Amino acid sequence: QVQLVESGGGLVQAGGSLRLSCVASRRPFSYYTMGWFRQTPGKEREFVASINWSGSTLNYTDSVKGRFTISRDNAKSTVYLQMNSLKPEDTAVYYCAARRAPYKKDAAIETREYDSWGQGTQVTVSS
């Protein structure tokens, strides 16, 4: 398994921006598909975005398309989630996840496909 540490969450007003970061302990980082998920109390964890090992495949849930951008820096073993035009409904705990998938073109979107999870970082968007 990979140890993942998220950072960058916080409180922001609607329309604002935040950038989440997730640093992985295992190398080579490029062996892993990375994903971001979020969860609110009483609801299941939901997919937000994913990126394959090279960054050539990006997936987003419909509600964040055009507002969020996932990216990665393999040299720094870090995946990012740039969140712009934030809305109150984006309020959640955001989790970083890793799936060992070396040189795979696809980027998984199901929680069950991921092997390792971070501890989560809280994002709160006020109206």
Side-chain angles (χ1 to χ4, degrees), residues 30-108:
S30 59
Y31 275 17
Y32 294 88
T33 290
M34 300 300 296
W36 286 99
F37 293 77
R38 63 188 180 187
Q39 189 170 22
T40 54
K43 293 189 176 181
E44 291 189 357
R45 194 168 297 185
E46 67 170 1
F47 169 76
V48 176
S50 62
I51 184 169
N52 74 335
W53 71 279
S54 66
S56 62
T57 300
L58 309 177
N59 293 317
Y60 298 95
T61 192
D62 286 346
S63 62
V64 308
K65 285 179 180 176
R67 300 189 298 122
F68 290 11
T69 302
I70 188 171
S71 62
R72 65 190 297 158
D73 185 336
N74 287 343
K76 295 182 178 179
S77 299
T78 302
V79 62
Y80 304 98
L81 186 67
Q82 178 67 45
M83 305 186 295
N84 299 328
S85 302
L86 282 161
K87 304 175 181 180
E89 51 263 44
D90 294 318
T91 295
V93 177
Y94 282 72
Y95 296 90
C96 171
R99 175 178 186 252
R100 183 176 171 86
Y103 312 121
K104 294 290 187 181
K105 180 176 173 57
D106 64 307

